[in-house]
């Protein structure tokens, strides 16, 4: 289980540039956002951006006792693959322009998916498929912490 809440209290702060009031908001890549490989995995990176956000993830991981990878004709003799892991997950979250828990918990976006993780020669390889309302992603990560 994972939960994440974020807020930018200075979201509406402004500064005067050339006689005009301009918001001093963080750019989307540095601000509060959802979407991508760690939050709302069924959406593109930084798909949702705003002042505040809430995100929840439920992930189930299983390490099967059955390990056929080391018996494969080419891969098995060449590489040390001590374990593999299957995962199923669901993510839910929302961004909003106000830090209001009631608003943040209405019309939340969701995504779901599954993956396989391997330990190969001391390096973790993570693959997963995640689907949201707009599109589906296949991602591969090397040396991720989980």
């Amino acid at each position: 289980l994972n939960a994440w809440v974020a807020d930018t209290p200075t979201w509406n702060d402004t500064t005067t540039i050339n006689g005009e009031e301009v918001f001093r908001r963080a750019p989307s890549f540095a601000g509060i956002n959802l979407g991508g490989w760690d939050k709302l995995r069924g959406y593109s990176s930084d798909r949702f951006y705003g002042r505040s956000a809430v995100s929840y993830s439920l992930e189930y991981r299983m390490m099967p006792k059955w390990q056929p990878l080391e018996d494969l004709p080419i891969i098995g003799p060449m590489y040390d693959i001590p374990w593999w892991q299957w995962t199923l997950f669901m993510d839910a979250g929302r961004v909003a322009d106000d830090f209001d828990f009631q608003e943040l918990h209405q019309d939340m976006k969701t995504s779901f998916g599954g993956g396989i993780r391997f330990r190969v020669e001391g390096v973790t390889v993570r693959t997963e498929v995640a689907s949201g309302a707009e599109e589906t992603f296949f991602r591969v990560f090397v040396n991720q912490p989980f």
Side-chain angles (χ1 to χ4, degrees):
L1 296 172
N2 187 23
W4 180 78
V5 178
D7 182 49
T8 309
T10 59
W11 182 256
N12 288 320
D13 286 0
T14 60
T15 189
T16 304
I17 299 176
N18 296 330
E20 266 188 63
E21 290 290 312
V22 178
F23 286 108
R24 298 179 52 189
R25 296 178 179 163
S28 62
F29 66 86
I32 294 173
N33 53 60
L34 295 178
W37 68 273
D38 61 343
K39 294 180 187 75
L40 278 181
R41 292 173 266 193
Y43 292 88
S44 60
S45 293
D46 306 333
R47 169 65 178 87
F48 303 103
Y49 169 74
R51 172 191 163 159
S52 302
V54 64
S55 175
Y56 302 103
S57 293
L58 173 66
E59 185 169 309
Y60 177 73
R61 300 178 191 174
M62 183 182 79
M63 211 176 263
K65 292 181 181 186
W66 173 62
Q67 169 48 303
L69 302 175
E70 291 187 331
D71 297 331
L72 292 174
I74 296 173
I75 297 172
M78 293 177 64
Y79 298 101
D80 178 32
I81 308 171
W83 59 261
W84 68 329
Q85 193 177 72
W86 300 345
T87 63
L88 294 173
F89 60 84
M90 181 181 163
D91 304 321
R94 170 135 193 242
V95 298
D97 287 335
D98 294 307
F99 188 67
D100 179 346
F101 261 64
Q102 185 174 358
E103 181 181 354
L104 286 168
H105 287 88
Q106 294 174 357
D107 301 320
M108 295 177 82
K109 302 294 182 192
T110 59
S111 65
F112 61 93
I116 300 175
R117 297 168 186 180
F118 309 89
R119 186 73 171 178
V120 181
E121 295 294 323
V123 175
T124 302
V125 178
R126 172 179 157 190
T127 63
E128 62 187 32
V129 174
S131 185
E134 299 171 352
E135 52 195 317
T136 299
F137 291 92
F138 175 72
R139 294 183 174 101
V140 177
F141 306 91
V142 177
N143 221 13
Q144 290 294 305
F146 58 89

